Each structure stands twice: as C-alpha cells, then as structure tokens.
Amino acid sequence: MARDVFPAIGDLPIAELTPPLILAVLRAIEASGSIETAKRILQRISCVFGFAIAEGKVKIDPSERLGEALKPLRRGRQPVITDLEPLRVMIRIAEEDDARPVTRLALRFLALTAVRPNELRGARWDEFEDLNGSHACGGFPRRA
C-alpha cells in the first residue's frame, strides 16, 4: 500500500475515490508484472472501505467489483531447484536481502525444512516438539 497505493491516491479523501481511480492503481501494479500483488492490494483497499463504511465515512465500496477487471492469475507449475549450487545461490541471495529479520528467518526456516510455505504456515507446535530427541531417524520421529 505504501509503495503502490498511497503515492497515487493516498492524498485524496476516501469519499472521492472512484472505481476508475482505484482500477488505474491496480493496473499499474499489474503492468509491473505483479498480478497477485494487484489482487492482494485490491483486498486491502476493500477492507479500508469496509472500515470507512462502518465509520460512516462512505456509503459504498467502489472497489467491490474491480476484481473482475483484473488479469487472471496464471496457474501452472512452480519452478523447482534440483541442483545444490543454484540452491546455495538462492539461499545466499535471501540471506543478503534487505528484508525484515523475521522475513529472512522465515526464508531460512523454509530452506531448512524444505516444505511448501502453506504447509509451514499451517504447521502445529506439536509437529516441532521433540526434534532433538533420541529417535532412530536422527532426531525426527517416524510417521506411520
């Protein structure tokens, strides 16, 4: 929002925002190749309007139907790294990135666990307990 939305429409009163103004912001994001980001930004904008409606600042959400005007997400195979050297390069780049520390730690944890982000996000604490135990699998409990 700070990078893509506020510079374009952040100074306008919320009641003056129209579907074409919001769509122009979203299309600029799409044009940079960030289709998924445009969709997520649209969700955030709609949440802001939901709050503004509850506060009595506006009567409608002009972003409500804009999702239909955005480009569809392309679903397909995700790239995979199968060789060790490109993996090392990717991890080094992630470690040197100017991301927040928690983001770098999350990337490191993903690399160490080799799971999909949604699998990790949905993991339960009991799945991490006793990892340093004396199990025959090097500390990891066997699953049936």
Side-chain angles (χ1 to χ4, degrees):
M1 297 281 282
R3 183 185 66 220
D4 297 312
V5 178
F6 298 156
I9 59 175
D11 289 336
L12 296 173
I14 193 165
E16 291 181 19
L17 295 178
T18 62
L21 283 173
I22 298 167
L23 185 59
V25 171
L26 298 172
R27 290 249 165 94
I29 297 167
E30 281 184 333
S32 73
S34 301
I35 296 170
E36 185 172 347
T37 299
K39 292 184 179 297
R40 289 183 185 199
I41 296 256
L42 174 58
Q43 290 174 341
R44 301 309 183 277
I45 289 172
S46 188
C47 287
V48 169
F49 275 101
F51 181 79
I53 290 168
E55 291 286 317
K57 307 285 185 197
V58 296
K59 295 189 185 303
I60 62 164
D61 175 0
S63 68
E64 184 176 19
R65 305 291 301 219
L66 294 181
E68 299 167 14
L70 297 178
K71 294 179 183 176
L73 283 174
R74 290 181 305 184
R75 299 284 182 198
R77 294 183 58 83
Q78 296 293 318
V80 62
I81 296 176
T82 57
D83 295 320
L84 188 56
E85 192 51 39
L87 178 62
R88 286 181 177 147
V89 169
M90 184 195 72
I91 291 172
R92 187 170 40 254
I93 290 169
E95 288 288 326
E96 294 170 356
D97 189 53
D98 191 27
R100 293 182 298 169
V102 70
T103 303
R104 283 197 308 272
L105 287 171
L107 289 171
R108 187 181 301 163
F109 196 58
L110 279 170
L112 291 171
T113 58
V115 297
R116 292 185 174 113
N118 279 341
E119 293 294 323
L120 182 59
R121 189 176 58 99
R124 297 181 319 273
W125 279 112
D126 65 340
E127 295 179 85
F128 297 99
E129 292 175 358
D130 207 21
L131 292 180
N132 293 328
S134 59
H135 298 286
C137 298
F140 291 93
R142 289 188 175 152
R143 294 197 175 190

